Amino acid sequence: MLFPMMVATVIASSSPSAPPPALTNLSVLSYNIHGVPWPIAMHRPHALRQIGQALAEMRLEGKQPNVVVLQEAFTRRAKRMVSLGDYHYVVAGPSRHDRFGPPEDPEQRLFSSRDRASKGEHVGKIEDSGLLVMSDYPIIAVKRMPYPRFACAGFDCLANKGMLLVQVQMPGIAQPVVIVDTHMNSRGASGVADVRSDRAYDWQVQSLRQFVRDNIPSDAPAIVAGDFNIGSVPHRLAAVTADGGIMPGGVDAVRQAINGTAANPDTANTAAIARHGKDWMFGRSGSRTELSLQSVTVPFGLGADGHMLSDHMGYIAHYRVEPRPGQGTP
């Protein structure tokens, strides 16, 4: 089943948001907010409310990220709480009812035939993708696609994980910036053997690579971000970064900050994100548009009390977006 490109539908907004800051700035927050239902996680409403309030406070101060890409925004409460940030354009990823692709070859059919309901497989999707993108800049097109049904393992199969693509139109910039949000299969938390979760992961990587090839023009400025669930597993790192990476030409923002090619004021938190190894944001320039990373900040890191609002940190990549020399503006 194919999911065509479509005009964005605003699913949550209140009053029109304040205009974004300087036209050549693009700040993108990526955050797995752990908005999972009870009893999988306890005491989440309070933390989710704090996340939403923090986004609202950042807006009041004129420091809100222009675009927010979230993972694990599963529950209605999670979606409602983060909407406190008052973004005018808000789109969700694949729903729990979207489907893509039955097993196509003997290996995939055999893999699916070994589903175990006790591990969350062959039960059906009880949650949507948990993906949510919020933007101050107009979202002019959207595409959603779940990972194939056979490309999941363990308890991850209960959620319809996949990919959410948006085209963001920045004033003064001719080319829309394409942003993809994704959340991939976990390993240990999936509850099944590593060899099974890694095989499903490989198929997801293939699907993501194909999605990027099919939907991001090779000359477009683009960002692919999310919870890649790589961790410290060499096999998963190689799968994502081999052959030029998940998006050829894309460079991860956190690793750029750590190696000194971008400002890194939150050194300890940025290093912690890199060690965790799950949250990545690959950015690249377009043929007519320069996308250059200026800094990485971590507004949702380790608090003064030693606690975090999620089991991931939320970080912002600050990019300068401008026409390449000689390209001009529209």
Side-chain angles (χ1 to χ4, degrees), residues 12 55 138 143 176 238 263 293 319:
L55 288 171
K143 187 166 186 179
L293 183 70
Y319 294 94

Side-chain angles (χ1 to χ4, degrees), residues 117-190:
S118 64
K119 295 295 184 180
E121 302 172 336
H122 203 65
V123 173
K125 306 298 183 183
I126 65 173
E127 295 292 344
D128 62 22
S129 63
L131 302 177
L132 197 68
V133 173
M134 308 188 295
S135 177
D136 279 336
Y137 293 124
I139 293 176
I140 60 173
V142 177
K143 187 166 186 179
R144 307 169 177 89
M145 186 175 291
Y147 287 117
R149 168 63 187 85
F150 60 85
C152 73
F155 296 116
D156 284 50
C157 293
L158 296 172
N160 204 22
K161 289 186 173 182
M163 300 153 281
L164 171 60
L165 177 149
V166 300
Q167 290 185 7
V168 176
Q169 185 65 67
M170 297 179 63
I173 302 298
Q175 291 181 290
V177 179
V178 184
I179 299 176
V180 174
D181 185 16
T182 192
H183 187 189
M184 305 184 75
N185 210 99
S186 63
R187 202 172 198 234
S190 69

Side-chain angles (χ1 to χ4, degrees), residues 78-97:
K79 292 178 174 67
R80 187 172 66 251
M81 288 298 99
V82 295
S83 71
L84 294 174
D86 195 25
Y87 285 87
H88 192 56
Y89 300 90
V90 183
V91 295
S95 75
R96 60 187 290 262
H97 303 293

Side-chain angles (χ1 to χ4, degrees), residues 193-311:
D194 289 347
V195 65
R196 184 169 178 82
S197 64
D198 285 347
R199 190 66 191 97
Y201 189 88
D202 289 343
W203 281 321
Q204 288 187 353
V205 170
Q206 292 174 18
S207 295
L208 179 57
R209 285 179 179 271
Q210 189 65 50
F211 184 80
V212 167
R213 283 195 297 269
D214 290 347
N215 297 288
I216 302 181
S218 60
D219 66 343
I223 294 169
V224 179
D227 181 356
F228 283 77
N229 263 316
I230 293 173
S232 57
V233 183
H235 172 83
R236 292 191 171 203
L237 179 61
V240 170
T241 60
D243 302 322
I246 208 76
M247 178 180 64
V251 182
D252 177 65
V254 168
R255 281 77 193 170
Q256 278 188 269
I258 288 176
N259 69 22
T261 55
N264 183 19
D266 299 323
T267 307
N269 282 330
T270 309
I273 294 169
R275 287 195 302 272
H276 194 213
K278 297 188 176 184
D279 303 293
W280 298 69
M281 185 183 300
F282 301 99
R284 75 168 187 210
S285 298
S287 61
R288 293 179 291 156
T289 307
E290 190 73 31
L291 187 73
S292 54
L293 183 70
Q294 303 299 299
S295 65
V296 171
T297 57
V298 189
F300 298 99
L302 192 66
D305 59 359
H307 292 89
M308 301 193 304
L309 296 178
S310 173
D311 54 353

